[in-house]
Amino acid sequence: MTQVRYNIPFNRPALVGNELKYLAKAVRMGHISGDGFYTLQCHDFLERKLGVPKALLTTSCTHALELAAVLLDLKEGDEVIVPAFSFVSTANAFALRGARPVFADIRPDTLNLDEAKISKLITPKTRVIVLVHYAGVGCEMDRIMEIAYRQNVDVIEDNAHGLFGKYRGRFLGTFGCLATQSFHETKNITCGEGGALLINDPRFIERAEVIREKGTNRTRFFRGEADKYSWVDLGSSYLPSDMLSAFLFAQFEAHAQIQATRQRIWKYYYRELADWANANGVRLPVVPEHCDQAYHMFYLLLPSFQKRQHFISHLKERRILSVFHYVPLHTSKMGRHYGGTPGDCPVAEMMSERLVRLPFYNELSEVEQSRVIDTIRELTL
Ligand SMILES: Cc1ncc(COP(=O)(O)O)c(C=O)c1O
């Protein structure tokens, strides 16, 4: 198979400030394993900026979700409600503990977990509702938190897309008892692979530190709060090297500039594609008035699967990479193993066939973006 060389990739990582300087400094400081100077700086940044009681960096959002599943003691027989339109980790992290994912359909406007579909999925075995703020646009948190409170189930926000987004003026990631972030290369702020657990319920802080450090109380030991450390609970190794944290902290420092750049790129796509979309039956993203989005991605909803595939091929011929997103979880091999059946979540299935994401990265130049837009406008669907 010959590989296409794209002139405009879907994503391109970039240095935005002091990444290399801080990396070198981390090495010179003689501490490149976990929880060094830069990791603590990152924790401090997230806690202050978002106003969360505790933030812990992890090696990925996937690992933050796994840590959350251990922390909430999920086990065989428990049920976890997850949106059918999400990345595998949203469900897999809980399935690893033996819990059964129960798939909920999404809203046709924001593609977020449909709050109206949650109640009828709740059973006496339901322990958690996991939600995703798709594309960094908030779920209907007022309603979801009310349902969770009434039914006595926990809420975990998989906020992989939504860092700095807000719902009714409040940061995404601050609603559930726990929330998870991703700093994977495709995210607004990155260190290649990385993540964080945000702990909004302080009761979980001490145990989260233990689980993240191989089930030991080493974090307390390093703080001088214990005279030795040993195996005290279940755990794994979820903390990143301080070299990754050094890279990440430089990106945090530049977050205002990154967000402003992404806002400009998003708005340019939206403005320049509006007429073409209207004329071709294509839907642009919906951002409700009460949501400040995180400007994580720009997607289009094409009228059909065939037209979506034609769109991707057209851009590919001009060496521009556009990509589809999630295969619905409930129709995947594992989803079917857990009882998912095609037809269960029709909105997720339809959106999965019709959605395409456009090139979107911090260094996407105006010339490149105009080329993407012109290439799209050549198309009559
Ligand atoms: C909604 C969602 N959750 C979790 C993840 C996994 O993130 P990570 O690659 O940091 O493990 C992704 C990946 O993009 C995602 O889209």
Side-chain angles (χ1 to χ4, degrees):
M1 204 173 79
T2 51
Q3 266 222 308
V4 181
R5 285 177 63 88
Y6 289 97
N7 292 335
I8 304 183
F10 171 66
N11 181 58
R12 184 189 286 147
L15 298 170
V16 292
N18 288 324
E19 288 91 340
L20 302 183
K21 189 172 135 194
Y22 291 172
L23 251 169
K25 209 169 148 198
V27 178
R28 280 203 304 273
M29 283 194 288
H31 184 130
I32 56 171
S33 57
D35 281 347
F37 174 78
Y38 284 108
T39 306
L40 302 186
Q41 293 284 102
C42 288
H43 291 173
D44 191 55
F45 171 85
L46 287 170
E47 287 160 14
R48 281 168 191 266
K49 175 79 189 164
L50 305 177
V52 293
K54 187 76 196 161
L56 292 172
L57 289 196
T58 56
T59 28
S60 63
C61 183
T62 300
H63 275 167
L65 286 162
E66 288 176 19
L67 204 171
V70 179
L71 195 50
L72 293 187
D73 285 321
L74 284 158
K75 56 183 188 316
E76 189 103 28
D78 291 337
E79 291 177 359
V80 177
I81 295 177
V82 299
F85 190 62
S86 186
F87 191 69
V88 292
S89 303
T90 311
N92 184 71
F94 302 92
L96 267 180
R97 308 302 310 155
R100 189 170 82 85
V102 174
F103 306 103
D105 209 355
I106 54 169
R107 292 173 60 109
D109 54 359
T110 55
L111 315 190
N112 280 333
L113 180 64
D114 187 341
E115 63 284 357
K117 304 274 167 60
I118 297 173
S119 291
K120 70 172 192 307
L121 298 176
I122 291 182
T123 74
K125 294 179 179 168
T126 308
R127 292 277 320 278
V128 184
I129 300 168
V130 188
L131 53 87
V132 174
H133 302 296
Y134 187 72
V137 176
C139 293
E140 283 309 317
M141 294 313 296
D142 285 349
R143 184 82 189 102
I144 294 172
M145 294 311 289
E146 185 191 315
I147 295 169
Y149 180 76
R150 216 169 350 98
Q151 303 282 352
N152 196 24
V153 299
D154 286 319
V155 171
I156 298 177
E157 298 172 74
D158 176 347
N159 197 29
H161 303 180
L163 185 60
F164 308 131
K166 288 181 177 172
Y167 172 83
R168 297 197 194 281
R170 180 168 158 188
F171 280 117
L172 304 179
T174 65
F175 291 85
C177 61
L178 301 168
T180 61
Q181 300 296 152
S182 175
F183 304 116
H184 178 261
E185 131 183 290
T186 50
K187 302 304 183 291
N188 298 21
I189 289 198
T190 182
C191 57
E193 299 275 0
L197 180 71
L198 307 181
I199 304 173
N200 293 311
D201 184 338
R203 281 179 307 154
F204 291 120
I205 295 175
E206 192 171 328
R207 193 158 171 248
E209 288 181 338
V210 167
I211 296 165
R212 177 171 167 271
E213 260 284 22
K214 301 96 179 161
T216 73
N217 55 343
R218 186 152 77 167
T219 308
R220 291 195 64 204
F221 171 71
F222 281 145
R223 278 202 298 260
E225 296 166 7
D227 56 1
K228 58 183 175 340
Y229 73 87
S230 63
W231 187 20
V232 295
D233 201 335
L234 285 181
S236 189
S237 186
Y238 293 128
L239 67 174
S241 154
D242 214 52
M243 291 196 286
L244 287 176
S245 307
F247 194 101
L248 187 64
F249 185 64
Q251 298 239 328
F252 280 161
E253 280 184 336
H255 75 280
Q257 171 207 325
I258 291 174
Q259 291 303 105
T261 303
R262 297 183 76 97
Q263 178 174 12
R264 178 176 49 71
I265 294 172
W266 196 96
K267 290 195 163 166
Y268 191 55
Y269 271 140
Y270 194 89
R271 195 175 61 238
E272 296 298 316
L273 289 173
D275 289 345
W276 172 84
N278 203 18
N280 287 278
V282 171
R283 216 200 74 191
L284 299 178
V286 172
V287 183
E289 283 264 306
H290 52 280
C291 292
D292 296 328
Q293 62 153 319
Y295 297 102
H296 171 53
M297 73 167 85
F298 194 92
Y299 66 82
L300 298 171
L301 286 167
L302 280 284
S304 67
F305 173 71
Q306 288 73 19
K307 288 184 178 177
R308 197 271 306 267
Q309 297 306 85
H310 177 56
F311 179 100
I312 293 175
S313 306
H314 174 75
L315 265 64
K316 185 173 167 188
E317 278 164 24
R318 273 105 180 137
R319 300 188 181 228
I320 298 170
L321 181 57
S322 61
V323 295
F324 58 86
H325 216 177
Y326 312 124
V327 172
L329 293 174
H330 68 292
T331 60
S332 66
K333 182 177 167 203
M334 282 302 281
R336 282 184 278 119
H337 167 77
Y338 285 109
T341 313
D344 282 354
C345 301
V347 182
E349 289 166 40
M350 181 171 72
M351 297 307 174
S352 169
E353 292 192 338
R354 292 172 38 194
L355 188 140
V356 63
R357 294 179 290 158
L358 303 185
F360 197 157
Y361 44 90
N362 300 341
E363 282 195 339
L364 183 67
S365 69
E366 206 174 317
V367 173
E368 285 176 318
Q369 202 183 355
S370 299
R371 252 197 71 199
V372 177
I373 290 162
D374 290 344
T375 307
I376 293 173
R377 283 188 186 145
E378 283 168 14
L379 263 176
T380 306
L381 293 169

